Amino acid sequence: MEKSLNRFGKLAVLNWIMVWFILLNGMIVMMPNNVFGTVVANWVVKHNVIWFTSLIIGISYFLSHAVIIMGTYIFEKLSSRSHLEHMHNMVSCLDFTEKAVLREFVLQRRSVINLPVTEPAVKNLLKAGILTYAYGTPASSDESIIKALMIALDARQYITYKVLGLSKTGMSEEQIEQILSERPKFAAKNLSRLSRLSRT
């Protein structure tokens, strides 16, 4: 919708011309003939079809822009809702490896971590839009497989502790050991922060 409004705003000169065009034709059509002289009144009546047609064209110009703007707004709303529903469905279908990758953001207490984009789980999360590049999509010439990634803003509301198999209030030693055993092999080895999970 913003693009449509910007496009409409760029036509400011034409818009003002059309406004005066509509006002002029509207005045000619609506004003009584006795306001004009006889010659002018006859000329106005003779070309009455032109004035009405011009008025309809002017009004249609703004109506068409209004329809485009409203249509764009509705389309963006529906697309956004569809995207969020798709994201919710993707999060609910995560497998163990994908959840383990996402848990790294919690375990490392970082919003951006370096991950190998060639790993299947990371690749799937990127393709699903759950993960995204933290500093913009890398150039095609960049052949490094380790990239700085973050959880996409749209997906964060669905990536809860419950979804990741974690607990905010504390975890038992068995639960921590299970989480450790499920960590991806490529994950960072710093586990010092994990001890906080066992505290209530």
Side-chain angles (χ1 to χ4, degrees):
M1 183 176 179
E2 185 176 350
K3 290 182 179 179
S4 298
L5 290 173
N6 290 337
R7 193 180 301 115
F8 183 71
K10 289 179 181 178
L11 300 174
V13 175
L14 178 59
N15 293 340
W16 278 111
I17 292 174
M18 293 302 295
V19 167
W20 286 107
F21 182 74
I22 292 172
L23 290 175
L24 178 62
N25 283 279
M27 289 176 60
I28 292 175
V29 168
M30 298 180 65
M31 290 182 68
N33 292 334
N34 56 16
V35 173
F36 307 106
T38 304
V39 176
V40 176
N42 291 336
W43 181 76
V44 169
V45 172
K46 184 179 179 180
H47 298 88
N48 220 12
V49 176
I50 296 177
W51 310 128
F52 274 105
T53 304
S54 299
L55 184 61
I56 292 172
I57 290 173
I59 294 173
S60 299
Y61 170 81
F62 288 102
L63 284 177
S64 64
H65 278 287
V67 169
I68 291 172
I69 291 172
M70 289 302 299
T72 303
Y73 174 78
I74 294 171
F75 175 77
E76 288 178 353
K77 282 291 184 182
L78 292 175
S79 296
S80 176
R81 183 179 300 175
S82 176
H83 173 70
L84 291 177
E85 288 178 356
H86 173 72
M87 188 69 66
H88 176 69
N89 292 334
M90 293 300 297
V91 170
S92 63
C93 295
L94 293 174
D95 63 23
F96 293 108
T97 308
E98 291 164 349
K99 288 181 181 180
V101 171
L102 294 174
R103 272 200 296 267
E104 288 301 311
F105 289 91
V106 179
L107 301 181
Q108 297 186 37
R109 299 287 182 97
R110 296 169 63 189
S111 59
V112 177
I113 60 177
N114 294 321
L115 294 170
V117 294
T118 55
E119 287 290 333
V122 178
K123 189 184 296 185
N124 289 341
L125 291 170
L126 277 170
K127 186 177 180 180
I130 297 173
L131 287 182
T132 186
Y133 294 100
Y135 308 116
T137 304
S140 56
S141 58
D142 186 358
E143 297 180 354
S144 172
I145 64 171
I146 305 297
K147 304 293 182 184
L149 301 178
M150 60 185 287
I151 298 176
L153 295 177
D154 292 342
R156 291 182 184 181
Q157 59 183 310
Y158 304 114
I159 308 298
T160 62
Y161 274 72
K162 184 178 180 180
V163 167
L164 298 180
L166 298 173
S167 173
K168 286 185 176 181
T169 57
M171 301 181 70
S172 66
E173 291 294 332
E174 290 182 0
Q175 289 174 317
I176 293 177
E177 288 180 8
Q178 182 179 354
I179 289 173
L180 291 178
S181 66
E182 293 175 353
R183 291 190 84 194
K185 294 179 180 179
F186 53 80
K189 302 302 181 182
N190 182 12
L191 308 180
S192 60
R193 297 185 183 276
L194 269 176
S195 59
R196 298 184 183 181
L197 292 173
S198 60
R199 299 176 185 176
T200 56

